[in-house]
Amino acid sequence: YYAIDRFGSFTDPLQFERARNTISARTGDKTLLTLGDAELAKAIGALETVGDRLVPTLTGLLLLGREEALRQHVPTHEAAFQVLDPGGDVRMNDFFRKPLVELADLFEQRFKARSQEKEVQVGMVRMPIPDYSFPAFREALLNALFHRDYRRNECVYVQWHPDHLFITSPGGFPEGVNVRNLLTHEPKPRNRRLYEAGKRLGLVEQTGRGVDKVYDGQVRYGRPAPDYSRSDDTAVRLIIQGGSESQAFASFIFQRERSTGKPLTIGEMIGLNRLFHQRQLSAASLAEDMHTGTSEASAILERLVEEGLVEPRDDKQGRVFQFTATVYRQLGKPLAHARLKGLDTKAQEKAIMDHVSKHGRVRREKAMELTGLAARNASALLLSLVSKGKLVPEGEKRGRYYHLPGVQSVKS
């Protein structure tokens, strides 16, 4: 506690107004809107009565305090928004000691001024794909501000790099929390009074699962999951990758949720994201990504099987899962499923002939890619098409290619 004689000597009336605006605009406790300033401050744990005085708590100073009071009584509180160019030079370097509600607004304004989005047509609807998900950024920022260690004389950093965001929060994870259980560990706020006040104002996630939003904002656009691997006992460090979205995957997720009328769970989203990038997935691998046990990961994969999104198969490593042919068609990769399962001879020939019709000719290496065959088998298939009169070879050895009879290929 910080003993200050007069209530108005440390609080800023503008912060009360910002707090009320936040409650109204978000999922805050609307009963707080009926209270006067002192009553509101008491209700969220920002003030306590000691004798005949109103005494501010750390929570009160951080949420409602004047900037000069924060500098005097919470000197460790500081946050920076930096913009770096490709060479690592700092183009923006703004440091603040503002109360948290105002500080969050300032950082969000800077984020929105730089983040861009593109629109893609999905059926009759135009879907925006942002450089970075705003809900993900907001949750990551608020986590850094509300869960930092205010005993450490260090700064919260938000660094905007050309291809990623880097957010640093002083102090490591709370006891028991680490990079391998972030998604499943029960909420464990470092500053409980501050965290509870943030919930009542509608600032922080009501369920305590804000990290789910950080993950969701990445994987639903086909981007890599948030990276907390650089965290240690001194700080939580988060990298949010940008610029590598997949429009096909994002459109698929959008259409799926729109057609079913329900959002995918974060576990389902992670599983689909991994399958999109690596084609097959085991329950053990998904469990590691989800920070959970194999049985729960298996249940998610089986649910995706029931919904017709994935199918199981057995390989040398055991039971694995892959997208169904329907999903691959929706993703614009109609041959991918067939390559995984193995094309029959008729389908192999069709894949090659379709390519020749479109591009004029085909080499053995391309035939291997189209059919999934080894070099010897691809050569045999091409010779079979020659013997059937469907293709004509031209060139010698490594320079050999195949084109349609009576048509001289001019494309490479």
Side-chain angles (χ1 to χ4, degrees):
Y1 302 109
Y2 297 89
I4 300 179
D5 289 335
R6 292 192 309 113
F7 171 57
S9 65
F10 75 94
T11 57
D12 182 352
L14 289 176
Q15 306 311 321
F16 283 95
E17 188 65 26
R18 287 192 174 92
R20 291 187 174 94
N21 290 338
T22 299
I23 294 169
S24 298
R26 295 173 59 81
T27 57
D29 183 351
K30 300 300 190 290
T31 63
L32 296 175
L33 296 176
T34 65
L35 304 178
D37 288 357
E39 289 73 22
L40 187 154
K42 288 181 183 178
I44 64 173
L47 279 179
E48 287 192 349
T49 302
V50 179
D52 60 353
R53 295 186 304 166
L54 288 172
V55 178
T57 62
L58 174 63
T59 294
L61 288 168
L62 287 170
L63 291 175
L64 305 170
R66 297 180 185 274
E67 189 170 347
E68 56 269 24
L70 276 168
R71 290 180 179 275
Q72 179 180 355
H73 298 290
V74 195
T76 59
H77 170 53
E78 188 173 30
F81 191 101
Q82 300 176 320
V83 177
L84 291 83
D85 65 16
D89 293 328
V90 178
R91 297 304 183 190
M92 174 180 286
N93 197 26
D94 294 341
F95 284 78
F96 303 95
R97 295 181 183 270
K98 304 282 188 181
L100 294 183
V101 179
E102 181 178 0
L103 188 60
D105 286 343
L106 289 170
F107 276 45
E108 288 169 16
Q109 291 168 15
R110 281 160 173 75
F111 172 89
K112 290 178 178 179
R114 284 161 184 79
S115 183
Q116 299 180 348
E117 65 181 29
K118 62 188 72 172
E119 287 190 343
V120 297
Q121 192 75 32
V122 182
M124 300 295 291
V125 181
R126 293 194 66 81
M127 180 190 71
I129 299 181
D131 289 341
Y132 299 99
S133 163
F134 175 70
F137 169 77
R138 181 181 176 86
E139 290 302 324
L141 170 65
L142 292 173
N143 283 344
L145 295 174
F146 276 76
H147 299 302
R148 64 152 293 176
D149 187 346
Y150 281 96
R151 297 169 300 181
R152 302 183 71 94
N153 190 20
E154 297 167 9
C155 183
V156 169
Y157 284 96
V158 174
Q159 295 182 340
W160 189 293
H161 294 261
D163 60 350
H164 70 275
L165 299 178
F166 184 50
I167 301 176
T168 305
S169 180
F173 292 113
E175 184 179 359
V177 181
N178 56 57
V179 295
R180 293 177 298 280
N181 65 13
L182 269 173
L183 282 168
T184 53
H185 200 286
E186 67 273 12
K188 195 171 185 180
R190 188 192 308 278
N191 310 298
R192 179 164 293 279
R193 188 192 292 258
L194 179 62
Y195 170 73
E196 294 297 333
K199 284 207 301 184
R200 295 199 68 184
L201 295 179
L203 271 174
V204 299
E205 175 62 34
Q206 297 291 315
T207 63
R209 301 305 315 156
V211 68
D212 289 10
K213 288 188 177 181
V214 181
Y215 270 76
D216 180 90
Q218 284 293 100
V219 297
R220 74 164 45 250
Y221 296 110
R223 295 188 175 107
D227 182 2
Y228 289 89
S229 63
R230 294 178 61 181
S231 302
D232 56 27
D233 292 340
T234 66
V236 174
R237 300 178 179 91
L238 167 62
I239 296 174
I240 299 177
Q241 293 288 346
S244 57
E245 84 284 343
S246 165
Q247 294 184 17
F249 184 78
S251 298
F252 165 70
I253 295 297
F254 176 81
Q255 288 177 305
R256 177 68 188 179
E257 293 184 329
R258 192 164 181 262
S259 64
T260 61
K262 63 177 183 178
L264 291 159
T265 68
I266 191 63
E268 291 169 339
M269 197 89 70
I270 291 173
L272 294 172
N273 180 287
R274 285 290 302 276
L275 280 171
F276 179 75
H277 288 289
Q278 64 185 42
R279 295 193 175 186
Q280 64 183 34
L281 183 67
S282 68
S285 180
L286 178 58
E288 184 176 347
D289 292 334
M290 288 177 50
H291 309 162
T292 189
T294 304
S295 59
E296 185 175 343
S298 295
I300 288 175
L301 288 167
E302 293 297 342
R303 188 161 66 246
L304 293 175
V305 170
E306 293 173 3
E307 294 176 359
L309 300 179
V310 306
E311 60 187 18
R313 70 180 179 86
D314 295 321
D315 71 357
K316 296 177 182 179
Q317 306 301 319
R319 186 177 176 85
V320 296
F321 297 80
Q322 63 191 33
F323 282 143
T324 62
T326 300
V327 170
Y328 271 122
R329 283 196 298 272
Q330 291 175 332
L331 290 170
K333 299 180 178 182
L335 290 179
H337 180 266
R339 289 178 197 136
L340 280 172
K341 296 182 71 69
L343 289 163
D344 58 29
T345 301
K346 186 176 180 180
Q348 291 168 346
E349 290 184 355
K350 184 177 185 306
I352 290 176
M353 295 306 298
D354 286 348
H355 180 84
V356 175
S357 296
K358 183 176 181 180
H359 298 283
R361 63 182 182 178
V362 66
R363 295 181 183 274
R364 185 185 69 174
E365 292 75 16
K366 188 64 180 181
M368 293 167 60
E369 178 185 336
L370 291 168
T371 62
L373 293 173
R376 180 179 297 180
N377 294 333
S379 294
L381 179 62
L382 289 167
L383 291 176
S384 174
L385 289 169
V386 170
S387 68
K388 294 177 181 179
K390 294 183 176 181
L391 291 179
V392 174
E394 189 165 325
E396 299 293 331
K397 296 182 179 180
R398 292 184 179 276
R400 175 168 294 184
Y401 57 89
Y402 302 81
H403 59 82
L404 296 173
V407 178
Q408 177 62 47
S409 171
V410 297
K411 298 184 180 180
S412 59

